[in-house]
Amino acid sequence: MGLKSTILDLTHDLLSLFYPITCCACDTALVRGEKILCTSCSMKMPKTNFHKVRKNLVEKCFWGRVPIEVATSYFFFVKNSDFQHMLHKLKYKGRSDIGIFLGKRFGTDLMSQPEFTHFDTIIPVPLHPDKLKIRGYNQSEMIANGLSQSMKVPVNTTSLIRKTFTETQTKKSRLERWENVKEVFEATSATNLNGKHVLIVDDVLTTGATIEGCANALLSRFPNVKISVATLAFAHN
């Protein structure tokens, strides 16, 4: 067993010389024992720790707009940073593994707080089928899958659909973002969510328009559903 382990380690080291596996944030070569994210970037990640704080900035984002039980984001979105680079890879470069990896870490952190241990299901913000076909996967679903692994809560991809293929939100104003997603989402009767506690998951929270649209769609069909929010990043305006 010891010899086999040594051979595998040597093989890994040899392959790393010619085909280095790099950190998804800073692109430096990962060393043995590191996965997806290097130790340095893990330490430098600008975590919000909002899951430990009630009335945090994410929760306040929805005040007066839609009823939310608890809300949080894993880390702050910092423009032109290595972590924006990481999110770009997740969303546009086929790196679905980044979403699962970070989602799993995020879920472990959330489980340390009682408020985040009573969800019945996790619902990722859906993509329109045409966009899903282009991208190959839904990055929010990948994050949800990671959360599911560490939180032991099932992912639900059938109770909320996106009816309209919308333009990207990236360069839109707050009002334009809301108009872009207004009445875009629809809740289905695939599962009765009345009385259930749902965690809506997305990659980046900017104005909250997308999640507000999702929440309103769910509440319109299931008026007794409880809704909470978790996003990977928070872009504070």
Side-chain angles (χ1 to χ4, degrees):
M1 186 66 180
L3 179 59
K4 183 178 179 181
S5 178
T6 300
I7 292 173
L8 288 173
D9 286 344
L10 289 172
T11 302
H12 175 273
D13 291 344
L14 185 61
L15 287 172
S16 296
L17 285 173
F18 298 98
Y19 306 101
I21 301 172
T22 60
C23 172
C24 65
C26 68
D27 289 328
T28 59
L30 296 178
V31 301
R32 190 186 304 169
E34 294 179 336
K35 184 179 180 183
I36 309 294
L37 198 65
C38 72
T39 302
S40 176
C41 285
S42 292
M43 297 290 288
K44 292 188 297 183
M45 180 176 283
K47 289 186 178 182
T48 69
N49 287 314
F50 284 161
H51 62 295
K52 300 178 181 179
V53 182
R54 298 286 67 79
K55 299 181 181 179
N56 62 58
L57 291 176
V58 178
E59 290 183 0
K60 288 180 179 180
C61 182
F62 298 101
W63 284 3
R65 298 167 64 182
V66 66
I68 296 294
E69 302 294 318
V70 291
T72 188
S73 296
Y74 192 32
F75 61 89
F76 289 103
F77 179 91
V78 181
K79 197 171 183 180
N80 299 320
S81 70
D82 288 339
F83 299 103
Q84 181 182 13
H85 179 56
M86 176 180 68
L87 289 171
H88 185 80
K89 287 182 178 179
L90 164 62
K91 196 166 184 176
Y92 301 111
K93 299 297 182 180
R95 291 294 305 275
S96 60
D97 56 327
I98 294 173
I100 297 170
F101 175 80
L102 292 178
K104 192 173 181 179
R105 284 194 171 187
F106 189 16
T108 299
D109 282 2
L110 294 183
M111 291 297 288
S112 69
Q113 301 299 311
E115 297 88 343
F116 289 89
T117 58
H118 303 291
F119 302 115
D120 296 295
T121 190
I122 299 172
I123 297 183
V125 171
L127 287 181
H128 187 272
D130 291 344
K131 186 169 287 188
L132 182 61
K133 190 179 297 183
I134 294 169
R135 190 167 293 169
Y137 60 90
N138 177 357
Q139 74 278 1
S140 297
E141 185 179 341
M142 297 302 104
I143 299 164
N145 288 342
L147 286 165
S148 176
Q149 288 181 31
S150 53
M151 300 177 76
K152 309 304 179 188
V153 178
V155 175
N156 178 339
T157 59
T158 58
S159 292
L160 186 67
I161 61 172
R162 188 185 290 251
K163 300 183 296 180
T164 308
F165 190 112
T166 55
E167 298 175 2
T168 180
Q169 299 274 70
T170 307
K171 296 183 179 180
K172 294 185 179 297
S173 67
R174 183 179 294 270
L175 178 60
E176 288 171 335
R177 284 172 183 263
W178 169 239
E179 290 295 333
N180 196 42
V181 297
K182 189 177 180 181
E183 299 180 357
V184 162
F185 301 101
E186 179 181 341
T188 74
S189 56
T191 304
N192 184 4
L193 296 177
N194 268 318
K196 303 296 184 182
H197 193 172
V198 170
L199 180 66
I200 298 178
V201 172
D202 203 4
D203 53 355
V204 182
L205 176 73
T206 304
T207 65
T210 297
I211 289 177
E212 183 181 353
C214 290
N216 282 330
L218 290 171
L219 287 164
S220 67
R221 183 175 286 271
F222 307 109
N224 296 320
V225 68
K226 293 194 295 184
I227 295 172
S228 290
V229 173
T231 71
L232 205 56
F234 175 62
H236 182 42
N237 289 335

